[in-house]
Structure formats: structure tokens, C-alpha cells
Amino acid sequence: MKVAIIGGTGFVGTYLIERLLQDGHLPRLLVRAGSESKVERPTECELVTGEVGDLAALHRCVEGADAVVYLIGILREFPSRGISFDALQHRGVVDTLSAARAQGVKRFLLMSANGIHADGTAYQRTKFQAEAAVKASGMDWTIFRPSVIFGDPRGRMEFCDQLKRDIIDSPIPAPLFYTGLLPFNAGQFQLAPVSVTDVAAAFVQALTDPRTHAQTYCLCGPDALSWKAILGTIAAAGGRSKWMLPAPVFGIKAAARLFDRFPWFPITRGQIEMLMEGNVCTQDDGFARLGVTPHPFNKDALAYLRN
């Protein structure tokens, strides 16, 4: 299959391209001018120069494709620089759907996120709106909702690498966030980290499996782990131990309210809110429905952090 990918130069995109090529498919990527060096195995892909806001480029990218995959997602927005959740996570999907329909493409796969809801953060709302647009498109769609994704970042932003850099390698104690006045259950909210290779495998399997049409799959790792356990695993993978202390979440929220508009501040109010909600698959195990056994989250799987 010829697969048009929007967001193919990002973290998940590099692994998706690798898996597509392994299974004999041809990736075609929309690539911003000057970002060609970010493409995985560029000589084996078709490249279309342009940005997601360029409608003509979107049409060129999806023309003649058998399927379209939309991967773009951002963790924070900078509207003054034209980087916003609405533009990249919602309107970009709507425009890509329009281009795909105009070019006669029938198949559309979207990477959403686990735990989103209509009245959540701006990140969650725009992901939710994108899902609604896909479901109303009339195309043969599949939506994937991964939890936090881990894997060798290959020079890109990744969950564990960022935590190691910002928290584990910092000289100050790691924060075990808690709500309320007393530190009961500090750091006990849970996440279910999922391997990027498993996410890529799910996308590629769905391409040729009609049973995945009009289906949404939540993708979580095999274990729901506390924030404290995750930090401990990341520290162990990097060959060190880490002192941890309870930290009231209202303090970091107050700091974020003042500083999260600046790129140097490590976390935003929205990220804090989503973190404290937890992120596990409580009602749907997408991997089980796909017949895939996901990789565990442990220090061996995080060996890339030793570098």
C-alpha cells in the first residue's frame, strides 16, 4: 500500500516508517522545507514538501494514496509562533480529511490519545474534536489512543528521556505530586507506558485488517504503574537511584501559571492536570482486541537511557 503520513518526521513517525517498509508498504511523507534530514530512511520513501496548513501540499501528499495516517500531536502550544493545539491537532485533521476525500482516498488512521474528553484541557479537547471529525468523515477510519509512549527517542522528544533530563538528572529531589493538604498517596497516580514499537505495529496491522474499520483502540502497556514506580524505573535504567519527596501539586500549578508560556519552563498547567488524572486503560484493551502482546516497561526496555 502507498501510505500518506502527516507527521512522519516525529517520534512515532520514524518507527511507523520503519515498520511500513518492513512489511512492504511505501510511505509518502509531508515534510517541511529544511526538515528532510529528519526523515527515517528517506531514499525508500516519497517526500512531499509542505506543511499541514498548506492545503495544496496536503492534496499532493494524499493523491493516489491507499491510506492516510495522521500522527501530529504537540505537548504544549505557542500561539505567537503559530503553534497551537487547534491548528495542529484539530484543524489539521479536518483539512487532511477534506484533501483525502477529494482525492478519493477511503482509509484514514488517526493517532489520538488515551484519556481525552470533551471538557478536558486544550490538548484533550482538540484531540476529541479531531476524533469527532474522523468519525463523521464517511471514510473507513480507525482511531488509536495510546497512553504515554516510550522508546529510543532518536533525537526527538520522548517521555522517559525528558523525565530523566528534567527530574532524575536534576540535583533536587524528584517530586511525588499529591493533591490536598496532606501527602497521602503522594506519587501514586498511575500511567501505563506503551512501547513505540507496539504502537507502530498496531497502525500497520490495522491498514489491511477490515475488522479495524470504525473502531477505536486504547493502547496501554501491560502494567499500570505509579508515578513513583515510573521515576524509580527510569532512574534504575540510567544507572542511579533518586531521592524523592512529596510535593503539593498546587505549588507547581502556581509556578506554571506564571511561567508556562516560556519554553524553558518544563511543564504546563494542562500537562499537570492530565498527569494527575492518570492514564491507564480501564475499559478497553486495544492490544488484546488486536491480538498483540505489548512489551513491558522495565529498565531493560529503557536501556537507551544509559547513553
Side-chain angles (χ1 to χ4, degrees), residues 199-256:
V199 174
F203 270 92
V204 176
Q205 178 176 327
L207 280 174
T208 55
D209 187 349
R211 294 173 298 178
T212 65
H213 292 188
Q215 297 294 313
T216 299
Y217 295 90
C218 295
L219 302 180
C220 288
D223 301 304
L225 302 170
S226 70
W227 171 250
K228 182 178 181 179
I230 288 171
L231 292 181
T233 302
I234 293 172
R240 60 178 299 177
S241 59
K242 183 66 179 178
W243 188 23
M244 305 182 195
L245 286 178
V249 74
F250 69 81
I252 189 67
K253 278 186 175 181

Side-chain angles (χ1 to χ4, degrees), residues 20 45 93 127 217 233 282 284:
L20 286 169
C45 303
V93 174
K127 287 282 190 181
Y217 295 90
T233 302
T282 56
D284 171 58

Side-chain angles (χ1 to χ4, degrees), residues 263-286:
W264 54 262
F265 195 75
I267 195 167
T268 68
R269 283 164 286 178
Q271 288 172 328
I272 298 165
E273 183 176 330
M274 292 187 291
L275 187 65
M276 297 304 294
E277 288 177 1
N279 199 305
V280 298
C281 293
T282 56
Q283 297 178 334
D284 171 58
D285 185 344

